[in-house]
Amino acid sequence: MEFAWQSFVEPDPESELQGVVGYLQPSRYRTVPRVLWHTREIEAQLAESGGLVGYALRAKLPQKKFWAVAAWESDESLQRFVESDPHAEIRTTLERAMKESWFQRFDVSGEEVPLNVDEALERV
């Protein structure tokens, strides 16, 4: 399943942004519904987060694989989101239920937005 890019701010094409791509793979299939539930909570937080340019999601449910890609106006705005609840609490709650999880930051220009998961993975 692909969840298309959700835009929140139209960036200046010449602006320098902070990109982030993440990957989650739950250890067990029974964790997948929890990941989906928490994704909705985090999407609600994203909608209210200052500095978010936009994001997109991908899920391959049969393989228990999830990806997210986002662009932020600054590293500081991204860090505020990461450290705020519900994201911070969910990250801690799900940590032990993951077979693998990682997030990578990268620089991106405003003209490269919207991002997609494949392009972001090529950067990291």
Side-chain angles (χ1 to χ4, degrees):
M1 294 188 299
E2 294 283 336
F3 298 88
W5 183 262
Q6 300 291 310
S7 291
F8 290 85
V9 174
E10 185 66 37
D12 177 339
E14 296 188 22
S15 63
E16 290 298 320
L17 306 172
Q18 181 68 62
V20 63
V21 62
Y23 172 73
L24 297 172
Q25 184 179 22
S27 298
R28 301 172 186 227
Y29 283 105
R30 70 180 183 190
T31 305
V32 169
R34 286 177 47 208
V35 171
L36 293 171
W37 176 262
H38 289 312
T39 297
R40 294 297 174 205
E41 292 179 289
I42 291 172
E43 282 186 301
Q45 180 186 358
L46 285 165
E48 297 180 8
S49 294
L52 175 64
V53 175
Y55 72 95
L57 304 170
R58 174 185 290 164
K60 291 189 177 180
L61 300 179
Q63 293 89 12
K64 303 178 304 200
K65 295 180 178 185
F66 299 85
W67 294 264
V69 62
W72 294 82
E73 291 178 340
S74 68
D75 187 58
E76 292 78 20
S77 57
L78 168 57
Q79 199 60 39
R80 273 193 309 275
F81 166 76
V82 168
E83 294 173 357
S84 299
D85 288 331
H87 184 272
E89 182 179 337
I90 291 167
R91 191 178 72 238
T92 301
T93 300
L94 290 177
E95 186 175 34
R96 287 173 283 162
M98 293 298 124
K99 178 178 178 180
E100 183 179 0
S101 68
W102 52 262
F103 289 86
Q104 288 285 130
R105 296 176 187 206
F106 56 92
D107 295 328
V108 62
S109 70
E111 70 183 356
E112 296 174 286
V113 172
L115 300 173
N116 72 50
V117 172
D118 292 327
E119 291 169 352
L121 289 172
E122 288 178 16
R123 291 174 173 261
V124 299

